[in-house]
Amino acid sequence: MRLTTKGRFAVTAMLDLAMHGADGPVTLAGISERQKISLSYLEQLFGKLRRGNLVESVRGPGGGYHLARDASRVTVAEIVCAVDESLDSTQCGGRENCHENHRCMTHDLWEELNTTVYGFLKGITLAQLVEKQRTKPVSLVRGQPRPHEGQPISA
Amino acid sequence: MRLTTKGRFAVTAMLDLAMHGADGPVTLAGISERQKISLSYLEQLFGKLRRGNLVESVRGPGGGYHLARDASRVTVAEIVCAVDESLDSTQCGGRENCHENHRCMTHDLWEELNTTVYGFLKGITLAQLVEKQRTKPVSLVRGQPRPHEGQPISA
DNA sequence: CAATAGTCGAGTAAAATTGTCGGATATAAA
DNA sequence: TTTATATCCGACAATTTTACTCGACTATTG
């Protein structure tokens, strides 16, 4: 299963974009600062997001990115697929040459897992994440209802 | 998300074990031949499976491995966890220092994904895989009801 | 024209994964 | 007791993937 930090960063960045996109394009420099993701890396990610038709860009001063459609119509699955290319669990990648040229004994299992994971991520939209973020601004789940008090991590 | 060929091989090997375990211990050499997994690699995997209390070993000639309990009480989730150590999706590994020392905006999302994947894999037992294997010996799912005729893919 | 901001491809360093090797231990059978 | 079978174990090597940088370029604004 391919689900790496790249996919996580992409979702985080898209969430930032959705939350700050009210007044004009959002610059990668801004996302970089707020989310602490390197600018160069963001450029790479947004290249893929743009090619995946999830965001649109505006060049030149005052430019930046905005969502290609409403946040309620962008799913997490789309974001992850756009940057990670695939979240396939089978080793053969859909082909069925896993074991001596025919599908291996566990092929179906991994294929069903794919379906499960994809279904889950497809059921969650950016709008839902934004909403969740607005109602519960910061940490809330695991005990500690402390608001902000973050001790800066070393570097 | 960590779900690699190691986990897939482990499930395949366990399935082989379950299917050939009727008459005494099964040797890794046998599994190696049938499933085309290198013996050395199997040794490594079964070390973990044994420490995870999924299999028991019998040393010496005539020895080998057998399941530690009935196949109906061994889940795929257990197997994958035993060899891959974890199939966590969060980058912080449960800790919540993902973003400047507090949980990142998408933390809950990945945690729910974990739950989903784990729940799926936990719902499937070795016995179910064996059964499926016995009723449908070879390929069947995707269209083509052709028995065997596989065009060898390049290499 | 100068500054801003996206675009692109190549390239690199670190980490993870996959897999091997050599030798040790336990046990059964000859 | 010797020999052959098999598991056991740690260290290590090769490969692949991942994460991330860099430099040069294009478009747009003022």
Side-chain angles (χ1 to χ4, degrees):
Chain A
M1 152 95 34
R2 183 147 32 149
L3 180 50
T4 63
T5 69
K6 200 190 262 181
R8 283 190 284 263
F9 278 163
V11 173
T12 300
M14 286 290 280
L15 183 49
D16 184 284
L17 184 56
M19 295 182 76
H20 293 90
D23 22 66
V26 179
T27 67
L28 293 190
I31 299 179
S32 172
E33 263 191 29
R34 285 187 295 270
Q35 305 302 330
K36 307 296 170 193
I37 304 174
S38 99
L39 179 58
S40 312
Y41 201 32
L42 280 176
E43 287 176 355
Q44 189 179 303
L45 294 182
F46 273 76
K48 296 187 177 204
L49 292 171
R50 186 171 48 82
R51 272 170 246 127
N53 296 314
L54 294 176
V55 299
E56 279 165 2
S57 63
V58 180
R59 301 181 69 158
Y65 288 90
H66 57 82
L67 294 179
R69 50 193 124 106
D70 193 82
S72 64
R73 299 203 300 122
V74 177
T75 70
V76 174
E78 288 175 296
I79 298 171
V80 171
C81 285
V83 299
D84 271 342
E85 260 110 54
S86 136
L87 43 95
D88 191 9
S89 290
T90 62
Q91 59 182 322
C92 50
R95 281 174 163 71
E96 57 162 76
N97 53 335
C98 356
H99 178 68
E100 305 217 296
N101 230 16
H102 50 73
R103 69 195 311 127
C104 66
M105 299 190 299
T106 58
H107 184 98
D108 293 348
L109 173 64
W110 307 125
E111 211 155 70
E112 280 177 50
L113 178 58
N114 280 352
T115 307
T116 303
V117 170
Y118 189 80
F120 173 78
L121 294 180
K122 195 175 170 185
I124 298 178
T125 69
L126 218 43
Q128 284 170 22
L129 292 182
V130 170
E131 179 58 22
K132 194 162 192 172
Q133 203 57 25
R134 293 240 159 91
T135 55
K136 340 172 159 178
V138 127
S139 150
L140 80 156
V141 181
R142 206 102 91 178
Q144 266 105 310
R146 280 281 193 285
H148 56 314
E149 195 178 278
Q151 21 189 346
I153 298 181
S154 61
Chain B
M1 150 96 33
R2 183 147 35 151
L3 179 49
T4 64
T5 69
K6 200 191 259 180
R8 283 192 283 264
F9 278 163
V11 173
T12 300
M14 287 290 279
L15 183 48
D16 185 284
L17 185 56
M19 295 182 77
H20 293 90
D23 22 68
V26 179
T27 67
L28 294 190
I31 299 178
S32 172
E33 262 191 30
R34 285 187 295 270
Q35 305 302 330
K36 307 295 171 194
I37 304 173
S38 96
L39 178 58
S40 312
Y41 200 32
L42 279 175
E43 286 176 356
Q44 188 180 302
L45 295 182
F46 274 76
K48 296 188 175 198
L49 292 172
R50 187 171 48 81
R51 274 170 243 127
N53 295 316
L54 294 175
V55 300
E56 279 165 2
S57 63
V58 181
R59 302 181 68 157
Y65 288 90
H66 57 82
L67 293 179
R69 51 191 122 107
D70 193 83
S72 63
R73 299 203 299 122
V74 178
T75 70
V76 174
E78 288 174 298
I79 298 170
V80 171
C81 285
V83 299
D84 270 342
E85 260 109 54
S86 135
L87 43 95
D88 192 7
S89 291
T90 61
Q91 58 183 323
C92 50
R95 280 172 163 73
E96 60 162 73
N97 53 333
C98 353
H99 179 68
E100 306 217 294
N101 229 18
H102 50 73
R103 70 194 310 127
C104 66
M105 298 190 300
T106 59
H107 184 99
D108 293 349
L109 173 65
W110 308 123
E111 210 154 71
E112 280 176 50
L113 178 59
N114 281 351
T115 306
T116 302
V117 170
Y118 190 79
F120 173 77
L121 294 180
K122 194 176 172 185
I124 297 179
T125 68
L126 217 43
Q128 283 169 21
L129 291 181
V130 170
E131 178 60 22
K132 195 162 192 173
Q133 202 57 26
R134 293 236 159 94
T135 55
K136 341 173 159 178
V138 128
S139 151
L140 81 156
V141 182
R142 202 101 89 180
Q144 265 105 312
R146 281 282 194 285
H148 55 315
E149 192 180 285
Q151 21 188 346
I153 299 182
S154 64

